Amino acid sequence: MEFSELVVGWCRNGLMEAVDDISKLTPMGLLWQNQLNRAVMIAVQYLVYGPRVAGRKSALTMMSAMENHT
């Protein structure tokens, strides 16, 4: 899944809206903001590090590896 597909899905489900080429969270999107942020971080980490980080598949492991990357 590509990042743009995530955004399209969020818009379709009422979590985001595009106004003058700027994407904004709706009130419902603000409620789900933590989960949306996590999805974005996992997508970025997958793009940067691939499906495995340090031989592990865990999303939390990927998040930890990205935070500790120098």
Side-chain angles (χ1 to χ4, degrees):
M1 177 177 284
E2 293 184 19
F3 180 70
S4 61
E5 294 173 1
L6 288 173
V7 173
V8 168
W10 296 337
C11 289
R12 184 176 52 245
N13 291 318
L15 301 174
M16 291 181 77
E17 59 185 12
V19 178
D20 298 326
D21 294 328
I22 297 173
S23 295
K24 295 182 180 183
L25 293 175
T26 63
M28 189 183 338
L30 290 171
L31 177 69
W32 288 94
Q33 183 176 7
N34 289 338
Q35 287 77 8
L36 296 174
N37 289 340
R38 186 169 187 271
V40 169
M41 289 300 298
I42 290 170
V44 168
Q45 290 159 2
Y46 183 88
L47 292 172
V48 172
Y49 297 107
R52 291 176 169 256
V53 175
R56 299 183 186 170
K57 295 181 186 177
S58 167
L60 292 177
T61 300
M62 288 192 290
M63 292 176 82
S64 176
M66 187 169 188
E67 289 171 358
N68 296 322
H69 191 281
T70 56

